[in-house]
Amino acid sequence: DVKVTQSSRYLVKRTGEKVFLECVQDMDHENMFWYRQDPGLGLRLIYFSYDVKMKEKGDIPEGYSVSREKKERFSLILESASTNQTSMYLCASSQGQHRPQHFGDGTRLSIL
Amino acid sequence: AQTVTQSQPEMSVQEAETVTLSCTYDTSESDYYLFWYKQPPSRQMILVIRQEAYKQQNATENRFSVNFQKAAKSFSLKISDSQLGDAAMYFCAYRTADGGSNYKLTFGKGTLLTVNP
């Protein structure tokens, strides 16, 4: 089975901090994604990557950046955390163009 | 841009009964994929079923089936013989099948399904 692992299940940070959310997949997938999930809004794509060192903006990239130095790892970075970034963050990966995405368990991030 | 609409924020069903969750989408593309994902309280998103737009036959996975109406841009999920473990948030999602690197999913806002014993 595909395993997508997010480093933290819960995280509490302070406004202005630099925050790193890590995601690792073990199936050599080409594509990786970061979503945020908010009640009543569903999942919205922040960034995705289809290869090492490649990244593309999703629907809501403002306030975020990403890093993909190795194929298995995709990091989401909040450069200066703000309270409106309090949310559930979900990482996903997929192989090729036609395969479905597999999701991690999510990180519930609170910015105080 | 594609949009996905789930018009039912919440639904409930009695155990062993059948329930249908609605999903409509808007696209100008002719080839695409549609998905239903389930997110139980444990939070992990699990793929329930997927449909390729070029296939006329409705996808089926055990107790889960879809009613795909391409002309109407409708993609409903039917759950038969509902079980307590089916209680979850259900998301409908769209993805283009065009070439290039656009593999992103567009999600609806979700439908919270409650199963009553």
Side-chain angles (χ1 to χ4, degrees):
Chain A
D1 276 355
V2 177
K3 184 70 174 176
V4 179
T5 303
Q6 295 184 229
S7 54
S8 303
R9 199 158 169 83
Y10 299 94
L11 202 56
V12 179
K13 296 291 183 180
R14 297 211 172 271
T15 303
E17 280 193 70
K18 190 170 186 176
V19 181
F20 293 85
L21 302 184
E22 306 287 347
C23 175
V24 176
Q25 49 92 5
D26 65 356
M27 287 300 294
D28 202 35
H29 282 176
E30 298 166 351
N31 312 309
M32 297 189 74
F33 308 81
W34 275 107
Y35 295 89
R36 66 176 279 176
Q37 181 180 7
D38 300 289
L41 296 178
L43 279 76
R44 294 176 291 167
L45 182 67
I46 305 171
Y47 267 97
F48 68 100
S49 168
Y50 53 90
D51 202 353
V52 175
K53 296 191 186 295
M54 305 300 288
K55 61 184 179 184
E56 289 205 20
K57 293 179 179 180
D59 298 318
I60 51 164
E62 297 79 18
Y64 303 93
S65 62
V66 289
S67 173
R68 193 163 182 205
E69 296 296 319
K70 294 184 178 181
K71 193 174 186 179
E72 67 271 18
R73 185 180 296 271
F74 192 36
S75 303
L76 179 69
I77 303 157
L78 287 66
E79 296 289 343
S80 177
S82 63
T83 54
N84 63 11
Q85 292 178 309
T86 291
S87 186
M88 172 77 80
Y89 290 87
L90 290 168
C91 176
S93 72
S94 70
Q95 176 65 22
Q97 186 178 351
H98 303 291
R99 300 291 179 89
Q101 293 181 19
H102 299 266
F103 285 81
D105 288 343
T107 296
R108 190 172 293 282
L109 175 65
S110 297
I111 305 297
L112 304 179
Chain B
Q2 294 82 19
T3 58
V4 177
T5 302
Q6 293 178 248
S7 59
Q8 306 151 317
E10 297 184 24
M11 291 280 286
S12 64
V13 63
Q14 291 296 126
E15 200 174 0
E17 298 292 309
T18 295
V19 65
T20 299
L21 308 184
S22 301
C23 174
T24 58
Y25 57 94
D26 187 24
T27 183
S28 58
E29 298 174 335
S30 59
D31 199 14
Y32 47 87
Y33 298 93
L34 296 164
F35 305 85
W36 278 99
Y37 278 89
K38 166 186 176 181
Q39 187 181 39
S42 64
R43 297 189 338 207
Q44 187 175 28
M45 295 277 280
I46 302 164
L47 178 66
V48 175
I49 201 165
R50 92 174 200 165
Q51 175 82 40
E52 288 111 335
Y54 65 86
K55 289 187 177 179
Q56 293 186 343
Q57 187 173 6
N58 288 325
T60 299
E61 285 288 341
N62 301 315
R63 297 182 295 106
F64 297 88
S65 62
V66 298
N67 182 5
F68 173 49
Q69 302 288 330
K70 191 172 184 180
K73 296 180 182 175
S74 171
F75 182 61
S76 60
L77 175 70
K78 185 171 84 171
I79 306 174
S80 304
D81 185 27
S82 297
Q83 300 175 359
L84 295 177
D86 295 334
M89 182 73 85
Y90 286 81
F91 291 97
C92 180
Y94 171 103
R95 194 186 81 203
T96 182
D98 288 344
S101 61
N102 189 3
Y103 306 142
K104 73 171 192 173
L105 288 170
T106 300
F107 285 87
K109 294 182 179 181
T111 296
L112 181 63
L113 178 66
T114 303
V115 180
N116 301 311

